[in-house]
Amino acid sequence: MKAKILFVEDERDLSLIVCDTLRQQGYDVVAAFDGIEGLARYKTDGADLIVADVMMPRLDGFAMAKEIRRISGSVPIIFLTAKSTIDDVEEGFGIGANDYLKKPFELRELLVRIKSLLRNKANSLAGNVIYSVGAYKFDTTNQLLIFNEKEMAISNIEARILEKLALNIGKTVDASELMIAVWGRDEVSNRNSLHGYIHKLRRAFRHDPNISIINQRGFGYMLAVRYTL
């Protein structure tokens, strides 16, 4: 069965080129040309993945994604944008984006990202991944921390960082690797933001004093759990 992609872009020529390429790759493609049409298309046709421009008439990509996230928390969303400030990227991920691609972009890179997200989605459906971190459970698919059977939602960015750390408990994860996982690139301007999200994760784990996220200066961060006898 073909994966269905909803492509929302107000630049008609770009939409035609991308949609034709996606169809040649075997995808079922639905095109929309602004956020209102994109939202309506999603409600009527659904989608396995959404690619959306940020700056669009009538309803922009961020506003459209907020409405879609009320319907589905799991459909992957890739934002396309000519804007690349860290504030814009953080806003997109905060809304629930799964990836971000700066215009102009290579079609091959878009295809790689689409394939990766669809593969991750299939793996998630096959089995939810839950990490044990001290007295906490980390539900990666639903982006939840669970402590004493109480659930606490964490942001998409926090979940991306934590998944990298949880996969390497007791090992230092390079700061560059964390930034690339979250923002798609390693830039000096992202380092303060990364540290801010690490601080939020430390607070989220405050109920278990045996858990710490250690700053290995000049290298990265390590999630550590002290086990007591």
Side-chain angles (χ1 to χ4, degrees):
M1 185 176 176
K2 293 181 179 180
K4 181 182 289 186
I5 296 175
L6 173 59
F7 188 76
V8 191
E9 168 62 65
D10 63 311
E11 294 181 39
R12 301 265 174 163
D13 289 344
L14 176 60
S15 177
L16 180 63
I17 292 169
V18 173
C19 289
D20 282 349
T21 300
L22 292 174
R23 290 187 182 105
Q24 290 169 11
Q25 294 295 313
Y27 296 111
D28 182 7
V29 183
V30 175
F33 301 102
D34 60 53
I36 289 179
E37 186 182 359
L39 179 58
R41 287 281 193 168
Y42 183 75
K43 287 179 177 178
T44 56
D45 301 328
D48 296 301
L49 182 142
I50 298 168
V51 182
D53 189 19
V54 172
M55 302 299 293
M56 293 187 292
R58 300 210 295 167
L59 189 70
D60 67 31
F62 287 165
M64 182 194 73
K66 285 180 181 177
E67 294 301 317
I68 288 174
R69 277 287 172 254
R70 292 192 176 105
I71 303 169
S72 171
S74 61
V75 61
I77 300 175
I78 301 175
F79 279 131
L80 306 176
T81 182
K83 301 167 72 176
S84 61
T85 68
I86 188 63
D87 290 340
D88 295 319
V89 175
E90 285 191 358
E91 183 178 358
F93 280 122
I95 289 167
N98 299 86
D99 210 341
Y100 222 98
L101 199 55
K102 184 183 176 183
K103 290 182 173 180
F105 56 86
E106 294 286 341
L107 282 172
R108 186 171 64 175
E109 182 176 4
L110 177 61
L111 289 171
V112 167
R113 296 185 184 217
I114 287 172
K115 289 177 182 177
S116 175
L117 285 174
L118 288 174
R119 183 170 58 249
N120 291 343
K121 181 181 179 182
N123 290 339
S124 295
L125 291 173
N128 190 11
V129 178
I130 297 179
Y131 292 95
S132 293
V133 183
Y136 286 77
K137 301 288 186 185
F138 170 39
D139 179 338
T140 60
T141 300
N142 298 301
Q143 298 179 357
L144 296 172
L145 280 179
I146 304 165
F147 180 79
N148 283 345
E149 299 183 356
K150 292 183 179 180
E151 297 180 348
M152 180 184 70
I154 60 176
S155 71
N156 182 275
I157 293 179
E158 290 161 6
R160 283 169 175 248
I161 294 170
L162 182 54
E163 186 165 8
K164 282 284 186 183
L165 296 174
L167 191 61
N168 296 277
I169 287 182
K171 300 177 183 177
T172 300
V173 181
D174 191 275
S176 295
E177 184 179 344
L178 291 173
M179 287 186 286
I180 290 170
V182 173
W183 294 290
R185 58 189 184 277
D186 174 5
E187 293 182 354
V188 174
S189 59
N190 293 345
R191 291 187 178 261
N192 286 338
S193 294
L194 174 62
H195 186 72
Y197 283 108
I198 292 291
H199 179 71
K200 289 181 180 180
L201 287 171
R202 285 175 178 145
R203 284 202 40 83
F205 283 120
R206 65 187 179 278
H207 298 299
D208 185 349
N210 292 312
I211 300 172
S212 58
I213 302 178
I214 301 167
N215 182 0
Q216 307 280 25
R217 291 191 179 278
F219 295 98
Y221 296 89
M222 179 174 69
L223 177 60
V225 179
R226 183 176 69 250
Y227 295 96
T228 57
L229 297 176

